[in-house]
Amino acid sequence: MARKPTKAATPPAVRANAKDSAHAGNDAVPASSRATRAAERRAAIVDAAMEEFIARGFAATRLDDIAKRAGVAKGTIYLHFKDKESMFEELVRTVIVPVVTRLTALPPPAGSVRDLVETFASNFLKEVIGTRRGDLVRLIVAEGPRFPSVADFYYREVVSRGIAAMRSLIELGIARGEIRQKNLAHYPQILVAPAMIAVIWQSLFARHAPLDAQDMLRVHLDLIFGERSTT
Amino acid sequence: MARKPTKAATPPAVRANAKDSAHAGNDAVPASSRATRAAERRAAIVDAAMEEFIARGFAATRLDDIAKRAGVAKGTIYLHFKDKESMFEELVRTVIVPVVTRLTALPPPAGSVRDLVETFASNFLKEVIGTRRGDLVRLIVAEGPRFPSVADFYYREVVSRGIAAMRSLIELGIARGEIRQKNLAHYPQILVAPAMIAVIWQSLFARHAPLDAQDMLRVHLDLIFGERSTT
Amino acid sequence: MARKPTKAATPPAVRANAKDSAHAGNDAVPASSRATRAAERRAAIVDAAMEEFIARGFAATRLDDIAKRAGVAKGTIYLHFKDKESMFEELVRTVIVPVVTRLTALPPPAGSVRDLVETFASNFLKEVIGTRRGDLVRLIVAEGPRFPSVADFYYREVVSRGIAAMRSLIELGIARGEIRQKNLAHYPQILVAPAMIAVIWQSLFARHAPLDAQDMLRVHLDLIFGERSTT
Amino acid sequence: MARKPTKAATPPAVRANAKDSAHAGNDAVPASSRATRAAERRAAIVDAAMEEFIARGFAATRLDDIAKRAGVAKGTIYLHFKDKESMFEELVRTVIVPVVTRLTALPPPAGSVRDLVETFASNFLKEVIGTRRGDLVRLIVAEGPRFPSVADFYYREVVSRGIAAMRSLIELGIARGEIRQKNLAHYPQILVAPAMIAVIWQSLFARHAPLDAQDMLRVHLDLIFGERSTT
DNA sequence: TATGAATGAGTGTTCATTCAT
DNA sequence: TATGAATGAACACTCATTCAT
């Protein structure tokens, strides 16, 4: 869609003293420079690929479909990615990084630890569970074993950081007396486990039995921090 | 299931003074009747397919490889399964059912609820986490969206039952005063979440950061039941 | 399952003075001798194969289907025929020969030539057009080029004889003054052409436009012998 | 055949003062636009497929062989046809249509009806009998029952039209007193029957007994129109 | 003799990748 | 840069043929 609007859009002035009469048509790039256009295309491909990989998994996804969805020709994909595998790998990186940075841009540690964790959980709910990004998590779980580099990357960039962050929070909670269970700091996974389960549940069983993730997480936090006094 | 009943069933007396010397050599493999052989082959195929599907996922698995691994010809697979898809679906059923029946054959509810849950968790640890069966769980998470029938089956046979069983236990725990958190009964998922995370963790990140699942589960139970008084 | 019930089922009386103790059970064949049974089976296979080959052509016919239709096991076919090709070839022979002998068993040349030809045509109508045998003709037309031996056989046994017979009739007709066109004797094909066309028409276009073969043949004979005086 | 007519077709003038020295080598095949090339390839595939289908029938024909004969890769076939079946169906259409249009482009009805029919027959002889197109007729007879759509198409486009045309001619002949047999108009099949037989004969029995189709048709016409007065 | 499970070569079809335009 | 026609290796599935029972 909107395949070749450029030709008409080219302001004549731009081509003023163009001497390259032979193949002048191509470089009629308007406002967005060539580089920008390329970046846009790449983004379109990444988005399309994401959709397809999530829907079908790596092996069953056809580059043809990605190209169609992205509105580019199949060959164009190869101008941006070496092959299907590296596309998948880079894709995961590309999509994950901003998520991580957003989530780790934690609000300054004001208020109680529980508040912090709750804010975090609430962000997670909005940003991940039941969204495309949640599906990405499932995709990584699915394809991880066949793409060690992806699993490694995910572990390094997301999991280990997340675990570390959770551990800090837990330790802070323990220090402040909000958390009783001292051993919890050894297994921050416990803190996130229900959230992860919620992600997977939504992908697989939502239509059998919808899950109120928010409420579940609240109950879980009550377990850890003690039931909240209803103010 | 009644794998080799023939051997025992053959009355020794019958062959006492057997004079069929002519073709005595054949019965080097006499006992396994045709039906038995067929069952064995089918089992071999199921095993091989399980390995391959786990290792590569559905789409990337080649029937050729399954056949090779099972030690049968490719065509033989089609004597047992309609096509690749139904093989996958039946496979999951075949493998899951015994697991379910074993796990649901709960020890009689003697002792405290915590003991019950602990026993259950310990079984789960031994039988599932880090085993082929654990990988199967990951496989289902991975392929579920593309195999609704598999996801449905898994939900019906495993998840919903498991959830129900956990809920009963939780309610029992609440009734007996072992569990404080009344709301936990609404989300039995919380009880199992760390176990599931452990399963997935072992599949994906074990080599980066091994997880002591047993200890983690213990900590989690402490969270729910209160820290165990070290007698 | 009920594999060898014979041994036990054999009434002792029957085996009274049987000295062939070793494999006495088999020959419990009632009225029809073993040879007869074999011939019956062969006939069943031939019939089934005929149906299938006509319906699907040689290449697209599955031995499995033939076996099923004939009520025998696939392997049994190989007890009667070397392979699929020779089955097809022998089949055509088997089926054609009786047709030929019946058709060539012309009624003694009494009456006019036209009467003779008409009798012949009427037989042909009943015995061939719109019947399985008519389909066989189409089958031979279809597979002839790939089965030279079949085409050869068909030419030798059916076509050349038929042509010769027709030629005799035509010559007789000319001699008796019933036929004017002397040259017709050079092309007996002309005499049979409409009959053959009728055969093919029924196979291919009957449902679009049914053809009254009998009437057409009458008109054709009128053309050759002159319109019949309606006495 | 007629693979690269482009070379000759390229008007020299076009390349007169070409300054595109840089990559002048490429345009050794300039004229044939992509569309032209595609059409050529498609034609090559159609030709090759025609040969193979005629030689082996539908089921026994391998796409591999068609591709090889057409000088394209197997995958290329699928750029032009959905699958083997539709290739066969489209093929028949593609090949038949021009034949029909040519044959129906009858010379203006000048002269006697017999002359007309004779002209027609002579065209038929040259264009169909003993040619690839004749084999196509046999192919349709052979595969028709398994390809109703092909039989339908053939009936609609060829047979029904041909029958109608023949009927008109016969009626004209009757009106002009050239044909005595009034009933012939009911069965135009009789008029064409020997021609069809000739087609089939050439395919199947030519090597056993060659048939002088031309002479046979003449004799047949004598039968219908009366023997020609030897001028 | 009869069976039908087992085989594996063979075939239609797909799809990642290339490359001339 | 971008295209999409062309490629051909790869794969699911079939089926004639064999052979242990």
Side-chain angles (χ1 to χ4, degrees), chain A residues 121-142:
Chain A
S122 139
N123 280 336
F124 190 80
L125 272 169
K126 269 185 299 204
E127 304 264 343
V128 178
I129 293 179
T131 70
R132 201 83 314 166
R133 280 186 276 274
D135 291 328
L136 179 63
V137 172
R138 219 209 62 250
L139 183 61
I140 290 168
V141 170

PDB file of all heavy atoms in Angstrom, chain A residues 121-142:
ATOM      1  N   ALA A 121       4.558  -4.362  38.317  1.00  0.00           N
ATOM      2  CA  ALA A 121       3.622  -5.388  37.861  1.00  0.00           C
ATOM      3  C   ALA A 121       2.548  -4.782  36.981  1.00  0.00           C
ATOM      4  O   ALA A 121       2.168  -5.351  35.944  1.00  0.00           O
ATOM      5  CB  ALA A 121       2.983  -6.082  39.062  1.00  0.00           C
ATOM      6  N   SER A 122       2.082  -3.626  37.386  1.00  0.00           N
ATOM      7  CA  SER A 122       1.018  -2.999  36.611  1.00  0.00           C
ATOM      8  C   SER A 122       1.516  -2.612  35.210  1.00  0.00           C
ATOM      9  O   SER A 122       0.812  -2.760  34.219  1.00  0.00           O
ATOM     10  CB  SER A 122       0.500  -1.795  37.398  1.00  0.00           C
ATOM     11  OG  SER A 122       0.256  -0.722  36.549  1.00  0.00           O
ATOM     12  N   ASN A 123       2.771  -2.118  35.159  1.00  0.00           N
ATOM     13  CA  ASN A 123       3.360  -1.848  33.841  1.00  0.00           C
ATOM     14  C   ASN A 123       3.436  -3.118  33.011  1.00  0.00           C
ATOM     15  O   ASN A 123       3.071  -3.144  31.840  1.00  0.00           O
ATOM     16  CB  ASN A 123       4.772  -1.273  34.003  1.00  0.00           C
ATOM     17  CG  ASN A 123       4.720   0.203  34.329  1.00  0.00           C
ATOM     18  OD1 ASN A 123       3.737   0.872  34.011  1.00  0.00           O
ATOM     19  ND2 ASN A 123       5.755   0.696  34.987  1.00  0.00           N
ATOM     20  N   PHE A 124       3.925  -4.137  33.649  1.00  0.00           N
ATOM     21  CA  PHE A 124       4.084  -5.414  32.976  1.00  0.00           C
ATOM     22  C   PHE A 124       2.741  -5.875  32.410  1.00  0.00           C
ATOM     23  O   PHE A 124       2.643  -6.329  31.272  1.00  0.00           O
ATOM     24  CB  PHE A 124       4.627  -6.442  33.968  1.00  0.00           C
ATOM     25  CG  PHE A 124       5.060  -7.723  33.340  1.00  0.00           C
ATOM     26  CD1 PHE A 124       6.288  -7.831  32.710  1.00  0.00           C
ATOM     27  CD2 PHE A 124       4.234  -8.844  33.366  1.00  0.00           C
ATOM     28  CE1 PHE A 124       6.683  -9.023  32.125  1.00  0.00           C
ATOM     29  CE2 PHE A 124       4.626 -10.034  32.781  1.00  0.00           C
ATOM     30  CZ  PHE A 124       5.857 -10.128  32.162  1.00  0.00           C
ATOM     31  N   LEU A 125       1.733  -5.735  33.234  1.00  0.00           N
ATOM     32  CA  LEU A 125       0.393  -6.117  32.791  1.00  0.00           C
ATOM     33  C   LEU A 125       0.020  -5.389  31.515  1.00  0.00           C
ATOM     34  O   LEU A 125      -0.403  -5.997  30.529  1.00  0.00           O
ATOM     35  CB  LEU A 125      -0.630  -5.749  33.873  1.00  0.00           C
ATOM     36  CG  LEU A 125      -0.891  -6.794  34.939  1.00  0.00           C
ATOM     37  CD1 LEU A 125      -1.700  -6.199  36.075  1.00  0.00           C
ATOM     38  CD2 LEU A 125      -1.649  -7.972  34.318  1.00  0.00           C
ATOM     39  N   LYS A 126       0.176  -4.067  31.561  1.00  0.00           N
ATOM     40  CA  LYS A 126      -0.229  -3.264  30.421  1.00  0.00           C
ATOM     41  C   LYS A 126       0.637  -3.517  29.192  1.00  0.00           C
ATOM     42  O   LYS A 126       0.147  -3.594  28.066  1.00  0.00           O
ATOM     43  CB  LYS A 126      -0.180  -1.774  30.785  1.00  0.00           C
ATOM     44  CG  LYS A 126      -1.511  -1.259  31.342  1.00  0.00           C
ATOM     45  CD  LYS A 126      -1.448   0.249  31.572  1.00  0.00           C
ATOM     46  CE  LYS A 126      -0.356   0.562  32.573  1.00  0.00           C
ATOM     47  NZ  LYS A 126      -0.522   1.833  33.286  1.00  0.00           N
ATOM     48  N   GLU A 127       1.929  -3.621  29.443  1.00  0.00           N
ATOM     49  CA  GLU A 127       2.861  -3.647  28.315  1.00  0.00           C
ATOM     50  C   GLU A 127       3.096  -5.031  27.742  1.00  0.00           C
ATOM     51  O   GLU A 127       3.506  -5.183  26.598  1.00  0.00           O
ATOM     52  CB  GLU A 127       4.222  -3.080  28.760  1.00  0.00           C
ATOM     53  CG  GLU A 127       4.163  -1.688  29.340  1.00  0.00           C
ATOM     54  CD  GLU A 127       4.493  -0.636  28.275  1.00  0.00           C
ATOM     55  OE1 GLU A 127       5.065  -1.023  27.236  1.00  0.00           O
ATOM     56  OE2 GLU A 127       4.184   0.549  28.496  1.00  0.00           O
ATOM     57  N   VAL A 128       2.869  -6.047  28.549  1.00  0.00           N
ATOM     58  CA  VAL A 128       3.280  -7.367  28.086  1.00  0.00           C
ATOM     59  C   VAL A 128       2.125  -8.365  27.990  1.00  0.00           C
ATOM     60  O   VAL A 128       1.830  -8.879  26.916  1.00  0.00           O
ATOM     61  CB  VAL A 128       4.393  -7.936  28.986  1.00  0.00           C
ATOM     62  CG1 VAL A 128       4.773  -9.332  28.525  1.00  0.00           C
ATOM     63  CG2 VAL A 128       5.608  -7.023  28.976  1.00  0.00           C
ATOM     64  N   ILE A 129       1.492  -8.604  29.123  1.00  0.00           N
ATOM     65  CA  ILE A 129       0.479  -9.668  29.130  1.00  0.00           C
ATOM     66  C   ILE A 129      -0.632  -9.396  28.118  1.00  0.00           C
ATOM     67  O   ILE A 129      -1.215  -8.320  28.095  1.00  0.00           O
ATOM     68  CB  ILE A 129      -0.123  -9.820  30.536  1.00  0.00           C
ATOM     69  CG1 ILE A 129       0.960 -10.352  31.488  1.00  0.00           C
ATOM     70  CG2 ILE A 129      -1.294 -10.782  30.511  1.00  0.00           C
ATOM     71  CD1 ILE A 129       0.484 -10.526  32.898  1.00  0.00           C
ATOM     72  N   GLY A 130      -0.888 -10.365  27.317  1.00  0.00           N
ATOM     73  CA  GLY A 130      -1.970 -10.240  26.356  1.00  0.00           C
ATOM     74  C   GLY A 130      -1.650  -9.343  25.174  1.00  0.00           C
ATOM     75  O   GLY A 130      -2.487  -9.086  24.334  1.00  0.00           O
ATOM     76  N   THR A 131      -0.394  -8.887  25.094  1.00  0.00           N
ATOM     77  CA  THR A 131       0.000  -8.062  23.951  1.00  0.00           C
ATOM     78  C   THR A 131       0.938  -8.853  23.046  1.00  0.00           C
ATOM     79  O   THR A 131       1.334  -9.978  23.348  1.00  0.00           O
ATOM     80  CB  THR A 131       0.760  -6.802  24.394  1.00  0.00           C
ATOM     81  OG1 THR A 131       2.037  -7.221  24.883  1.00  0.00           O
ATOM     82  CG2 THR A 131       0.009  -6.088  25.503  1.00  0.00           C
ATOM     83  N   ARG A 132       1.265  -8.229  21.946  1.00  0.00           N
ATOM     84  CA  ARG A 132       2.238  -8.811  21.014  1.00  0.00           C
ATOM     85  C   ARG A 132       3.514  -9.189  21.744  1.00  0.00           C
ATOM     86  O   ARG A 132       4.139 -10.197  21.458  1.00  0.00           O
ATOM     87  CB  ARG A 132       2.514  -7.744  19.953  1.00  0.00           C
ATOM     88  CG  ARG A 132       3.058  -8.236  18.681  1.00  0.00           C
ATOM     89  CD  ARG A 132       2.038  -8.764  17.708  1.00  0.00           C
ATOM     90  NE  ARG A 132       1.044  -9.658  18.293  1.00  0.00           N
ATOM     91  CZ  ARG A 132      -0.072  -9.998  17.683  1.00  0.00           C
ATOM     92  NH1 ARG A 132      -0.357  -9.510  16.512  1.00  0.00           N
ATOM     93  NH2 ARG A 132      -0.917 -10.831  18.249  1.00  0.00           N
ATOM     94  N   ARG A 133       3.897  -8.344  22.678  1.00  0.00           N
ATOM     95  CA  ARG A 133       5.160  -8.615  23.377  1.00  0.00           C
ATOM     96  C   ARG A 133       5.062  -9.868  24.237  1.00  0.00           C
ATOM     97  O   ARG A 133       6.025 -10.593  24.419  1.00  0.00           O
ATOM     98  CB  ARG A 133       5.555  -7.410  24.224  1.00  0.00           C
ATOM     99  CG  ARG A 133       6.202  -6.331  23.387  1.00  0.00           C
ATOM    100  CD  ARG A 133       6.720  -5.204  24.255  1.00  0.00           C
ATOM    101  NE  ARG A 133       5.664  -4.255  24.561  1.00  0.00           N
ATOM    102  CZ  ARG A 133       5.332  -3.238  23.778  1.00  0.00           C
ATOM    103  NH1 ARG A 133       5.970  -3.039  22.647  1.00  0.00           N
ATOM    104  NH2 ARG A 133       4.364  -2.430  24.128  1.00  0.00           N
ATOM    105  N   GLY A 134       3.888 -10.109  24.744  1.00  0.00           N
ATOM    106  CA  GLY A 134       3.700 -11.335  25.506  1.00  0.00           C
ATOM    107  C   GLY A 134       3.875 -12.538  24.592  1.00  0.00           C
ATOM    108  O   GLY A 134       4.515 -13.523  24.961  1.00  0.00           O
ATOM    109  N   ASP A 135       3.316 -12.411  23.420  1.00  0.00           N
ATOM    110  CA  ASP A 135       3.480 -13.503  22.465  1.00  0.00           C
ATOM    111  C   ASP A 135       4.948 -13.721  22.149  1.00  0.00           C
ATOM    112  O   ASP A 135       5.377 -14.849  21.928  1.00  0.00           O
ATOM    113  CB  ASP A 135       2.711 -13.174  21.179  1.00  0.00           C
ATOM    114  CG  ASP A 135       1.204 -13.215  21.390  1.00  0.00           C
ATOM    115  OD1 ASP A 135       0.758 -14.032  22.225  1.00  0.00           O
ATOM    116  OD2 ASP A 135       0.490 -12.444  20.733  1.00  0.00           O
ATOM    117  N   LEU A 136       5.691 -12.623  22.123  1.00  0.00           N
ATOM    118  CA  LEU A 136       7.117 -12.761  21.827  1.00  0.00           C
ATOM    119  C   LEU A 136       7.789 -13.634  22.884  1.00  0.00           C
ATOM    120  O   LEU A 136       8.652 -14.464  22.562  1.00  0.00           O
ATOM    121  CB  LEU A 136       7.785 -11.378  21.789  1.00  0.00           C
ATOM    122  CG  LEU A 136       9.279 -11.405  21.501  1.00  0.00           C
ATOM    123  CD1 LEU A 136       9.546 -11.971  20.115  1.00  0.00           C
ATOM    124  CD2 LEU A 136       9.898 -10.028  21.630  1.00  0.00           C
ATOM    125  N   VAL A 137       7.383 -13.442  24.125  1.00  0.00           N
ATOM    126  CA  VAL A 137       7.952 -14.282  25.178  1.00  0.00           C
ATOM    127  C   VAL A 137       7.678 -15.749  24.866  1.00  0.00           C
ATOM    128  O   VAL A 137       8.558 -16.601  24.933  1.00  0.00           O
ATOM    129  CB  VAL A 137       7.357 -13.910  26.553  1.00  0.00           C
ATOM    130  CG1 VAL A 137       7.799 -14.926  27.604  1.00  0.00           C
ATOM    131  CG2 VAL A 137       7.790 -12.509  26.950  1.00  0.00           C
ATOM    132  N   ARG A 138       6.425 -16.022  24.508  1.00  0.00           N
ATOM    133  CA  ARG A 138       6.100 -17.408  24.180  1.00  0.00           C
ATOM    134  C   ARG A 138       6.931 -17.882  22.979  1.00  0.00           C
ATOM    135  O   ARG A 138       7.405 -19.015  22.938  1.00  0.00           O
ATOM    136  CB  ARG A 138       4.610 -17.542  23.858  1.00  0.00           C
ATOM    137  CG  ARG A 138       4.003 -18.830  24.405  1.00  0.00           C
ATOM    138  CD  ARG A 138       2.851 -19.317  23.576  1.00  0.00           C
ATOM    139  NE  ARG A 138       3.228 -19.628  22.227  1.00  0.00           N
ATOM    140  CZ  ARG A 138       2.865 -18.932  21.170  1.00  0.00           C
ATOM    141  NH1 ARG A 138       2.112 -17.877  21.290  1.00  0.00           N
ATOM    142  NH2 ARG A 138       3.294 -19.294  19.966  1.00  0.00           N
ATOM    143  N   LEU A 139       7.118 -16.997  22.034  1.00  0.00           N
ATOM    144  CA  LEU A 139       7.915 -17.361  20.863  1.00  0.00           C
ATOM    145  C   LEU A 139       9.328 -17.753  21.268  1.00  0.00           C
ATOM    146  O   LEU A 139       9.894 -18.733  20.763  1.00  0.00           O
ATOM    147  CB  LEU A 139       7.954 -16.185  19.885  1.00  0.00           C
ATOM    148  CG  LEU A 139       8.698 -16.426  18.572  1.00  0.00           C
ATOM    149  CD1 LEU A 139       8.044 -17.552  17.787  1.00  0.00           C
ATOM    150  CD2 LEU A 139       8.757 -15.167  17.724  1.00  0.00           C
ATOM    151  N   ILE A 140       9.875 -16.999  22.186  1.00  0.00           N
ATOM    152  CA  ILE A 140      11.238 -17.307  22.621  1.00  0.00           C
ATOM    153  C   ILE A 140      11.271 -18.636  23.360  1.00  0.00           C
ATOM    154  O   ILE A 140      12.179 -19.446  23.174  1.00  0.00           O
ATOM    155  CB  ILE A 140      11.786 -16.162  23.501  1.00  0.00           C
ATOM    156  CG1 ILE A 140      12.013 -14.939  22.616  1.00  0.00           C
ATOM    157  CG2 ILE A 140      13.072 -16.578  24.181  1.00  0.00           C
ATOM    158  CD1 ILE A 140      12.272 -13.669  23.378  1.00  0.00           C
ATOM    159  N   VAL A 141      10.279 -18.854  24.187  1.00  0.00           N
ATOM    160  CA  VAL A 141      10.199 -20.149  24.862  1.00  0.00           C
ATOM    161  C   VAL A 141      10.133 -21.261  23.822  1.00  0.00           C
ATOM    162  O   VAL A 141      10.752 -22.311  23.957  1.00  0.00           O
ATOM    163  CB  VAL A 141       8.954 -20.209  25.769  1.00  0.00           C
ATOM    164  CG1 VAL A 141       8.731 -21.634  26.268  1.00  0.00           C
ATOM    165  CG2 VAL A 141       9.128 -19.258  26.940  1.00  0.00           C
ATOM    166  N   ALA A 142       9.379 -20.987  22.767  1.00  0.00           N
ATOM    167  CA  ALA A 142       9.186 -22.017  21.748  1.00  0.00           C
ATOM    168  C   ALA A 142      10.448 -22.282  20.953  1.00  0.00           C
ATOM    169  O   ALA A 142      10.829 -23.426  20.719  1.00  0.00           O
ATOM    170  CB  ALA A 142       8.059 -21.603  20.810  1.00  0.00           C
TER     171      ALA A 142
END
